[in-house]
Amino acid sequence: MYLERLILRQEGEEILQDVKQVLTKTATINNPRQQFNNWLKSKEGQAWKQKEFKKRNGICAYCGEKMREQDIDVHHVQPISQYGHSANTISNYRLLHPSCNSKIQTQVVDLLF
Ligand SMILES: [Zn+2]
């Protein structure tokens, strides 16, 4: 009897661990920041970044200075923190120096384009 209860308890704990794992995974998948990072790492995201860099002649949308292609951040005009998933659309992205991006962070500021 005691042993049966012990086994049941162990099984219950294993199921709980599985459920926790699924919940964590789901939360990650649904996280708009995570979705953006995944897109940016993808072929599509990288291709967009290259194209956008050429289109803007490598100019930072915040300070107007030239950027190095290997050293750029993708900034959200409307921040993810406020707009969630709807901030994840190409028309909401601008290329910035990482230093400019970290200066403005989640503030909504006037950009050059
Ligand atoms: Zn800049």
Side-chain angles (χ1 to χ4, degrees):
M1 193 63 187
Y2 176 73
L3 199 64
E4 275 174 18
R5 274 170 57 189
L6 200 66
I7 289 168
L8 270 178
R9 197 175 144 186
Q10 222 165 29
E11 283 177 351
E13 273 169 18
E14 279 169 24
I15 290 167
L16 201 64
Q17 284 307 315
D18 288 349
V19 170
K20 276 182 187 168
Q21 260 181 21
V22 170
L23 285 177
T24 307
K25 215 170 170 183
T26 306
T28 307
I29 290 166
N30 288 331
N31 179 305
R33 171 67 60 188
Q34 193 61 50
Q35 277 192 337
F36 171 72
N37 289 340
N38 290 344
W39 173 80
L40 195 56
K41 272 187 272 173
S42 72
K43 262 189 190 167
E44 194 196 333
Q46 289 299 303
W48 175 83
K49 203 171 158 184
Q50 275 182 359
K51 213 174 116 189
E52 184 70 8
F53 185 84
K54 281 196 188 116
K55 187 177 154 190
R56 303 297 185 183
N57 296 313
I59 298 294
C60 169
Y62 181 66
C63 72
E65 300 285 325
K66 275 255 182 201
M67 299 178 289
R68 295 185 316 155
E69 195 165 2
Q70 66 274 27
D71 203 19
I72 43 179
D73 269 8
V74 178
H75 171 72
H76 288 76
V77 178
Q78 294 185 323
I80 288 181
S81 56
Q82 249 178 288
Y83 294 88
H85 287 286
S86 52
N88 281 340
T89 169
I90 283 171
S91 61
N92 192 41
Y93 303 153
R94 299 293 183 279
L95 300 185
L96 264 57
H97 289 111
S99 57
C100 289
N101 196 26
S102 60
K103 219 179 284 173
I104 52 181
Q105 291 183 3
T106 60
Q107 298 172 69
V108 181
V109 296
D110 283 335
L111 295 170
L112 301 172
F113 44 83

